[in-house]
Amino acid sequence: MDIDAFSAVHSAKWARLHDLAHQRRLSGDEADELLKLYQAASSHLSLIRSVAPEGALSASLSAALAQARTRFTGARSNFMEDLAGFFVVSLPAAFYRLRWMTLWCGVFFCLVGAAYALWIGTSPEALRSLGSNAQLKQYVDEKFIDYYSENPAASFAGAVWTNNAWIGAQAVALGITGFWVPMMLVANAQGVGIAAGVFAATGKLDVFFSYILPHGLMELTAVFIASAAGLKIFWAMVSPGPRRRMQAVADEGRSLITVALGLVLVLFVSGLVEAFVTPSPLPVWAKLLIGALVLAAYWGYTLVLGGRAFRAGSTGDLDSKDAGYRAIAA
């Protein structure tokens, strides 16, 4: 086959295909024309590749066909649209689905922490097991408070963010085991409860809360969210409902990825509060107000945007195409 003669005969059609494929909007007739040209050009490309598979003409026609194919299959939204969809629909819907489990994890944590605080704060024997009077006094008067200001705020925020992200990642990744999340919640509640008990025994419980609550309100809520996500995937495996077990786990696992990405930002905010607000010279009421506003912003975001997205059918999962349920024809 003479490539030059073949190109001369069909070049007008290929140029028209290129123009229609790059045209912003198509009428009904133009869409029909594009489809016919696409089918014809596909046959032409096969013939050309049989003679000169690596030629410039083959590459150019392949590019035109690829662009035309996106018009049939639907071009993906741009980055900003995807970003807006994530923060306005997917993420709040995923948080919303976990709202009750998040609250139950918080209640469990608080009950365990309160039990340890009551035990340490009212039992002299338990208090003595933690250290001497001098050591406990140093912890209350110096170590606990200095922890928030002994390092530069920026580096401290990074360290806090990394540590909390690690805790959240464990809850999310190992939640499917069923035992890791309760064990982690108990361990963290134990640490907080013991510290509260030591401060209560020395009559400085107000100091403890003035340092733990500004950032802890959001930070601990993030831990509860991660715990809820881990338990959600575990429960999908135990009780998949009408779905196949692996299908249920896959559905929850993809939604869980959305939650994990959102927690990166949530923990970043709580880390900033812990590094810049908690040790600051602001009045205690101002620190508590900032912490409460951050927490209120999260729940407002979850309940308002998340509730609206959830009622509209969003779960935080990927759409069917991204999840691999619908293949795009080549």
Side-chain angles (χ1 to χ4, degrees), residues 58-167:
S58 175
S60 175
L61 190 54
S62 294
L65 286 169
Q67 179 62 30
R69 188 158 52 243
T70 64
R71 302 304 300 268
F72 303 135
T73 59
R76 296 305 309 270
S77 58
N78 62 41
F79 173 74
M80 295 307 297
E81 290 175 341
D82 288 340
L83 193 65
F86 177 79
F87 284 108
V88 176
V89 179
S90 299
L91 181 58
F95 282 157
Y96 185 82
R97 290 180 67 235
L98 297 174
R99 65 195 186 285
W100 292 115
M101 187 73 77
T102 299
L103 290 175
W104 282 117
C105 288
V107 169
F108 175 75
F109 181 96
C110 291
L111 289 175
V112 173
Y116 272 100
L118 183 63
W119 175 46
I120 297 297
T122 59
S123 172
E125 294 80 8
L127 188 64
R128 281 195 297 270
S129 70
L130 298 176
S132 65
N133 290 337
Q135 290 174 322
L136 294 176
K137 186 177 188 314
Q138 184 183 29
Y139 173 75
V140 170
D141 293 340
E142 299 176 21
K143 287 188 176 181
F144 183 85
I145 296 173
D146 291 345
Y147 166 76
Y148 296 101
S149 56
E150 61 187 0
N151 294 304
S155 61
F156 180 59
V160 167
W161 187 20
T162 303
N163 178 69
N164 291 335
W166 171 239
I167 294 174

Side-chain angles (χ1 to χ4, degrees), residues 18-38:
H18 178 275
D19 292 341
L20 289 176
H22 288 81
Q23 190 169 305
R24 187 174 181 82
R25 285 184 173 83
L26 296 175
S27 65
D29 291 339
E30 288 173 332
D32 291 339
E33 183 184 2
L34 177 62
L35 179 58
K36 292 177 182 178
L37 290 171
Y38 174 84

Side-chain angles (χ1 to χ4, degrees), residues 284-302:
V284 173
W285 67 264
K287 298 179 186 181
L288 295 176
L289 178 61
I290 292 172
L293 288 175
V294 171
L295 182 64
Y298 165 78
W299 281 111
Y301 173 77
T302 297

